[in-house]
Amino acid sequence: MPVRKQPQPHATAIPYQSAACRIGTHPTCAEHSPTTTPEDVPVIYETCGCPCHATPDRSWPAEEL
C-alpha cells in the first residue's frame, strides 16, 4: 500500500534577518540593501528584513561597537 503524504500547512513567510541584526549589532549589518550578482551565477542574495532598516533614524549609535 502506498504511503500518503499529509498536506503541509502553509508556512508564514519569515523575513530574512542578517546575523548582525540577530545578535544585536544592527549598525554593522551590510545586508540591508540589494546586492547585484553576476549574470552567469545562479545565486540569490536576500536583503535583511530587520525593522531597524525601515527607519532612517537608528537608535544604535555606531560608536558603541
Side-chain angles (χ1 to χ4, degrees):
M1 178 183 294
V3 177
R4 291 186 176 183
K5 291 184 178 181
Q6 295 293 328
Q8 296 290 328
H10 294 290
T12 57
I14 299 172
Y16 167 74
Q17 282 193 342
S18 68
C21 284
R22 276 190 259 151
I23 64 172
T25 55
H26 304 272
T28 62
C29 178
E31 300 175 36
H32 61 276
S33 60
T35 303
T36 57
T37 60
E39 291 181 18
D40 58 343
V41 180
V43 176
I44 298 173
Y45 291 105
E46 292 185 302
T47 56
C48 183
C50 181
C52 77
H53 300 301
T55 58
D57 180 31
R58 294 185 183 174
S59 60
W60 301 282
E63 295 85 31
E64 290 183 8
L65 299 175

